[in-house]
Amino acid sequence: MSTSAIQSPSGWRQQLAAGWQKQTSVIAALIIKDFKLKASKDRFGMIWLVVDPIVMLVMMAGLWYLIGRTEMEGIPVSLYISSGLIVYTILRQNMTSVPGAIKANSGLLNYPQVKPISCIFARFLFELFMLLISACILYFVLWWSFGLAPKYNDPLRTCQAIGIAMIFGLGISLLLGVYATLYPTVGKLASLVSRPLMFLSCVIHSLHDLPPTPRHYMLYNPIVHLVETARESLFALHPFPGVSLVYPGIWAVCTLGLGVIAYYANRFKLIRE
Amino acid sequence: MIRFENVTKYYPTPRGRHYVLRDVSFHIPMGARMGIIGRNGAGKTTLLRLMGGVDTPNAGRIIREGHISWPLGLGAGLQPVMTGTENARFCCRIQGVPLKDIPAMVEGMREFSELGKFFDLPASTYSSGMKGRLKFAIAMAFDFDCYIIDELTSTGDASFRNKATSVFREKRARASFIKVTHSLKEVRDECNCSMVLEKGKLRYFDDVNEAADFYSRLIGGDDEDNDVRVPKRRSAGGQWAAPMVKGATPAGGIGGNAAVAGCHGNNNRFNGQTQAERKAQRQAERRAQRQAERRAQRQAERQALQQGRRAHQQTSVAPPPLVTSMGGPLRSSHRPAPMAPRPGKGQG
């Protein structure tokens, strides 16, 4: 029996190490549990998770092709949309699926090791991993069948955009996870808001397509900045004036801070739920 | 092992705070076999959740040392969508068991639980007895220093209960336990100390027989409390208690009023009373009779108890020491409670 992690540690350093070990094993167990659940409950569910962004892309790109538009800013439509779609999907997952994690694992909160925040972390990492797989498949298919590939001219900047999207997403999922568990209406509102967000975030069209006035208002949306940055760094486009990573960065840090505060304030209430 | 320091725990309810513990301090040492008794809703499960580190107090702090189990209860603890195997594995993982040891442990749990093919089916397909079996099998696979048991050992059919008891007896030799139970016999047989939880107060007993006596007296003497408390509350809200009292005096009560009303010529009346009114009167009479019977019975019981208590005191058994209380210590006892020091004086 491994009691090493549980025997009362003496110094703060050991205590921190023991806590870290405990929490990582809990999160790992929760992630494996999520995988098993998806795999065993519904075989199609697992495939669907991977295929979902691809289907979305096919639909949206197909629409543009039907209208007769094959290029945006000189980039093939399917490739152009795919980049924005991935950034957007990170955030959408954190608005829809991640906040439900606490409720889904409520039976396991009986174990003192499992905290509500570990449920959120586990689901967050699980969804990211699934997205990574589907993004790889998506780009591989695009490259294999159509010979389309991004230029990757500034990978570091792409990583920055995705990293900020992840932090932003984690903040959103913490906030929603706490309040949607306490007040179910909040969760419904969030999924309602997330629906038109795809069109408000320039995912399926370019910022250049819009007239100046809506463009001005669109730039208040931090997701637009992330999507545009990801595009310009992937496809070597000219940076759109006014688009920066600082603005969404501030949003991300603020949301994460608020999320942590909300969790800290309600951490006992969540266990009682 | 588990030390409570000025712990207060309450739940906010629409009718104000419901206190489970009020400023409670105690220390449960290694080797304790604690039986916690109390009425339904007294807060026993909450107390165990606090001990197990699942819940947190609203004030004060709880220090837990050693390898203490999670609260082994009938309620939560299984994820319904996962199979028995997956639940078992999950528990192993979160307890930090090395990966290579997990399959062997899970096999042990499978054998012990005797669930057969259901061990590989989702926990939502289990009956409550089967869930209990699985949880017990999982818990017994670990060697804790202290088991916190919320009525889990009293689950399942006779054969499983026997098996569980024998396994648990082995564990008991090395580990201490804290258990909640309603059976005073169990407390007398298995425990070496006991606590009675009642209205935010915890009473500690060194002698389990004393605890059992105290508890049965507490339940028996329940109506003494109610006589003082209930009328006060009801007279303030005063909705349904009042007609019941009136009904107890049928002469001037409902019947009389109905007769007066009958003069106004209502077709539905028969002998000055509606059927509903007659029914109500009959019920009221019956109720009054029953109340009178009950009152007489209670009085007889009380007398018997007082006699018993007198006999009890003559054999010089001290009244149970009060470990904690809200309004100052009531320590009139001449016998100190060795395992429950007062706050601040710290032992061990």
Side-chain angles (χ1 to χ4, degrees), chain A residues 247-269:
Chain A
Y247 179 66
I250 291 169
W251 267 84
V253 170
C254 290
T255 330
L256 187 61
L258 280 177
V260 171
I261 290 169
Y263 177 76
Y264 190 80
N266 294 299
R267 63 198 189 283
F268 303 137
K269 251 191 214 168

Side-chain angles (χ1 to χ4, degrees), chain B residues 198-238:
Chain B
E198 175 72 12
K199 288 181 194 147
K201 292 178 191 170
L202 260 180
R203 241 170 227 268
Y204 173 85
F205 293 88
D206 236 2
D207 182 354
V208 284
N209 288 321
E210 237 173 78
D213 288 345
F214 175 76
Y215 181 60
S216 45
R217 226 180 303 148
L218 193 73
I219 295 176
D222 186 25
D223 46 67
E224 288 176 12
D225 253 347
N226 279 352
D227 283 348
V228 186
R229 189 164 46 89
V230 173
K232 252 189 222 162
R233 197 175 38 156
R234 291 227 172 115
S235 63

Side-chain angles (χ1 to χ4, degrees), chain B residues 11-316:
Chain B
Y11 285 110
T13 68
R15 295 192 164 195
R17 286 174 179 179
H18 172 69
Y19 279 89
V20 176
L21 296 174
R22 279 182 196 255
D23 198 18
V24 166
S25 305
F26 61 85
H27 177 223
I28 302 175
M30 278 294 191
R33 293 187 207 153
M34 171 78 71
I36 296 177
I37 31 187
R39 269 184 268 207
N40 291 121
K44 301 183 295 293
T45 303
T46 308
L47 180 61
L48 290 197
R49 277 163 65 87
L50 288 171
M51 286 175 174
V54 178
D55 218 333
T56 41
N58 296 92
R61 59 179 191 160
I62 299 167
I63 300 164
R64 304 158 66 237
E65 279 170 0
H67 197 181
I68 296 168
S69 82
W70 62 89
L72 311 173
L74 296 172
L78 291 179
Q79 170 72 295
V81 213
M82 289 200 290
T83 66
T85 324
E86 282 161 6
N87 270 301
R89 261 168 212 247
F90 181 83
C91 284
C92 294
R93 278 198 207 100
I94 62 170
Q95 294 296 326
V97 176
L99 277 177
K100 61 177 185 342
D101 298 343
I102 289 181
M105 276 186 84
V106 172
E107 273 315 299
M109 293 174 191
R110 179 195 292 272
E111 271 169 37
F112 186 86
S113 65
E114 294 172 12
L115 284 174
K117 66 178 177 190
F118 275 96
F119 201 70
D120 293 317
L121 291 179
S124 53
T125 60
Y126 291 10
S127 73
S128 55
M130 289 159 82
K131 278 182 194 162
R133 276 173 176 235
L134 177 59
K135 281 185 214 166
F136 192 75
I138 290 173
M140 286 301 122
F142 298 98
D143 282 323
F144 292 111
D145 295 336
C146 177
Y147 291 85
I148 296 178
I149 302 155
D150 192 359
E151 299 182 58
L152 188 64
T153 40
S154 49
T155 184
D157 49 29
S159 73
F160 187 76
R161 228 175 315 162
N162 288 340
K163 192 173 164 188
T165 317
S166 68
V167 169
F168 195 65
R169 201 168 287 145
E170 271 172 43
K171 295 269 177 192
R172 225 160 58 190
R174 277 166 283 137
S176 43
F177 68 82
I178 299 164
K179 90 193 301 188
V180 151
T181 179
H182 286 291
S183 129
L184 295 178
K185 186 178 171 293
E186 217 175 298
V187 174
R188 283 201 176 98
D189 292 351
E190 295 179 11
C191 304
N192 61 8
C193 55
S194 177
M195 280 206 248
V196 177
L197 180 61
E198 175 72 12
K199 288 181 194 147
K201 292 178 191 170
L202 260 180
R203 241 170 227 268
Y204 173 85
F205 293 88
D206 236 2
D207 182 354
V208 284
N209 288 321
E210 237 173 78
D213 288 345
F214 175 76
Y215 181 60
S216 45
R217 226 180 303 148
L218 193 73
I219 295 176
D222 186 25
D223 46 67
E224 288 176 12
D225 253 347
N226 279 352
D227 283 348
V228 186
R229 189 164 46 89
V230 173
K232 252 189 222 162
R233 197 175 38 156
R234 291 227 172 115
S235 63
Q239 292 296 315
W240 58 274
M244 204 165 82
V245 175
K246 261 186 207 161
T249 56
I254 298 167
N257 287 340
V260 172
C263 297
H264 296 287
N266 194 320
N267 289 338
N268 290 336
R269 295 193 182 258
F270 174 76
N271 272 354
Q273 290 182 344
T274 61
Q275 286 208 330
E277 276 166 344
R278 263 183 292 135
K279 201 175 167 190
Q281 196 183 347
R282 249 180 283 135
Q283 276 179 347
E285 275 168 5
R286 242 176 275 148
R287 214 178 286 145
Q289 203 181 340
R290 248 179 282 141
Q291 273 183 345
E293 275 171 21
R294 233 179 284 152
R295 214 172 290 151
Q297 201 182 340
R298 265 185 235 153
Q299 242 162 12
E301 275 174 3
R302 217 175 296 165
Q303 276 174 355
L305 253 176
Q306 275 169 354
Q307 278 172 0
R309 213 176 287 170
R310 246 173 259 139
H312 200 64
Q313 279 164 357
Q314 276 162 9
T315 56
S316 84

